[in-house]
Amino acid sequence: MSVKFQGIIPPVSIIFNEQGKLDKKGMATVIDFLIDSGVDGLFFLGSGGEFTQMSVDERKEVASFATSYVNGRVPVLIGTGSTNTREVIDLSQHAAQAGADGVVIINPYYWPLTEENLFAHYSEIAASVPLPILLYNYPGLSGQDLNPDFVVKLVEAHDNIVGIKETVESIAHIRDMILTVKGKFPEFAVFSGFDDHLLPTLSLGGDGAISASVNIAPELGIGVYKAYKENRFEQALALHKRMALMPTMYKLDSPFVSVVKEAMKLRGIDISTYVLAPARPLGAEKIEELKKILVQAELLPKETEVEAL
């Protein structure tokens, strides 16, 4: 497994036109913006990438276009999770054929699985896919936690399972994942999923973040990561305090995909903010609330707040 995944990897917002079709021009704008900002990789078709609202063919179209357009400038990860094992394998094999560097796989949602069935699910995928696999632990949405002892068993059995995205409320869970899994397999990568967990994750020995705010303010996540790595802890903490405000914006709507796109547009990225149903456009009142949060995080000038009132 040649690619080492680390640092700041945004779960990229997927841009659509008003007919709900992939907007390749808008997508290119976002990809170029993030690469120019200095991200360490790009993750397409995560939760913020609206994969749950897409058909298999639509997901394949995004994977093919994104991988081709990035063209090796940074590592590309493709989300291939699904409720059924066959579909995950199909999507993962397609990602490999498209030239992706790895896949990110959330555990099946809807049915809670026995540990035996969950192990068999990931094992079948790992045996069928030639790419590195990052597990995606988001129990708040999947309904089932991937605990550190279970992850160790998977990593012991499959050398292409190389990391995990931990979108969990408890920093103790991330600590235990680092101590238990990285303790045994030091190359295993542990990423935080929530913005405000990046600095604690790094301080515990983790590898970075795959968090939505990087679409909006890559300078914060990248800044925290670089400052920490260069022992500039005061600067890392100052940036962390701003980044820690970001999750408050996700409470404005559910799913929060429209919030992220509106925030990107407010920050000057020229994109369509169209979202796929059942997500809906953000209303005017919520956009004003969003502006206030961005001002508070020093991502918009204060006069924006005056205009908003």
Side-chain angles (χ1 to χ4, degrees):
M1 300 297 157
S2 54
V3 178
K4 166 72 175 166
F5 301 108
Q6 61 186 6
I8 304 302
I9 303 175
V12 184
S13 291
I14 307 302
I15 309 305
F16 304 98
N17 63 25
E18 292 299 317
Q19 290 72 46
K21 303 296 183 187
L22 178 64
D23 178 351
K24 293 181 179 179
K25 186 182 175 196
M27 203 68 254
T29 297
V30 172
I31 290 169
D32 288 338
F33 165 71
L34 291 169
I35 292 175
D36 291 346
S37 298
V39 296
D40 298 293
L42 294 170
F43 168 34
F44 297 94
L45 299 168
S47 303
E50 298 179 70
F51 81 93
T52 53
Q53 291 105 281
M54 291 186 213
S55 69
V56 167
D57 286 345
E58 287 171 331
R59 291 174 70 174
K60 287 180 177 179
E61 183 189 14
V62 169
S64 294
F65 172 77
T67 306
S68 171
Y69 188 78
V70 172
N71 195 27
R73 288 179 283 170
V74 295
V76 167
L77 292 163
I78 301 294
T80 58
S82 170
T83 51
N84 80 78
T85 309
R86 290 167 300 139
E87 193 166 278
V88 180
I89 291 171
D90 178 33
L91 288 164
S92 299
Q93 290 177 342
H94 174 270
Q97 291 158 8
D101 298 287
V103 291
V104 182
I105 305 176
I106 197 164
N107 41 312
Y109 31 97
Y110 189 79
W111 279 113
L113 303 180
T114 63
E115 185 172 302
E116 183 182 20
N117 286 344
L118 189 56
F119 188 88
H121 169 76
Y122 276 118
S123 293
E124 197 174 322
I125 295 161
S128 305
V129 176
L131 290 176
I133 294 169
L134 266 67
L135 307 172
Y136 184 0
N137 190 29
Y138 198 168
L141 292 187
S142 73
Q144 188 166 14
D145 181 49
L146 301 178
N147 66 67
D149 291 334
F150 175 74
V151 172
V152 163
K153 290 176 189 172
L154 280 175
V155 178
E156 283 173 339
H158 305 285
D159 64 3
N160 59 333
I161 295 179
V162 300
I164 190 167
K165 177 185 178 184
E166 282 269 79
T167 308
V168 291
E169 292 292 343
S170 168
I171 199 70
H173 195 290
I174 298 174
R175 175 201 65 206
D176 291 347
M177 191 68 70
I178 291 166
L179 292 175
T180 303
V181 189
K182 281 182 78 75
K184 198 163 188 180
F185 301 96
E187 291 300 305
F188 186 82
V190 178
F191 293 91
S192 61
F194 289 131
D195 304 301
D196 48 342
H197 283 171
L198 169 57
L199 187 58
T201 296
L202 292 173
S203 73
L204 291 165
D207 297 88
I210 302 176
S211 56
S213 75
V214 182
N215 287 284
I216 303 158
E219 67 269 29
L220 294 184
I222 293 167
V224 169
Y225 182 76
K226 285 187 172 175
Y228 181 84
K229 289 294 183 182
E230 294 167 8
N231 298 325
R232 292 181 281 112
F233 300 126
E234 197 170 319
Q235 187 180 2
L237 185 58
L239 289 168
H240 165 75
K241 285 178 179 176
R242 291 169 61 196
M243 196 171 176
L245 293 168
M246 303 301 274
T248 60
M249 73 173 62
Y250 307 142
K251 296 175 184 175
L252 292 174
D253 203 27
S254 184
F256 60 71
V257 291
S258 56
V259 177
V260 175
K261 289 181 187 180
E262 290 292 349
M264 292 167 72
K265 189 149 193 173
L266 286 168
R267 291 216 73 208
I269 305 168
D270 183 19
I271 54 163
S272 159
T273 58
Y274 186 91
V275 289
L276 300 177
R280 301 292 168 183
L282 208 60
E285 284 186 21
K286 289 182 178 179
I287 289 174
E288 298 310 321
E289 289 298 315
L290 177 58
K291 285 179 183 175
K292 292 175 187 174
I293 294 166
L294 292 173
V295 168
Q296 194 180 2
E298 300 171 44
L299 296 171
L300 283 180
K302 283 193 176 170
E303 54 264 27
T304 311
E305 190 170 33
V306 176
E307 290 168 17
L309 296 174

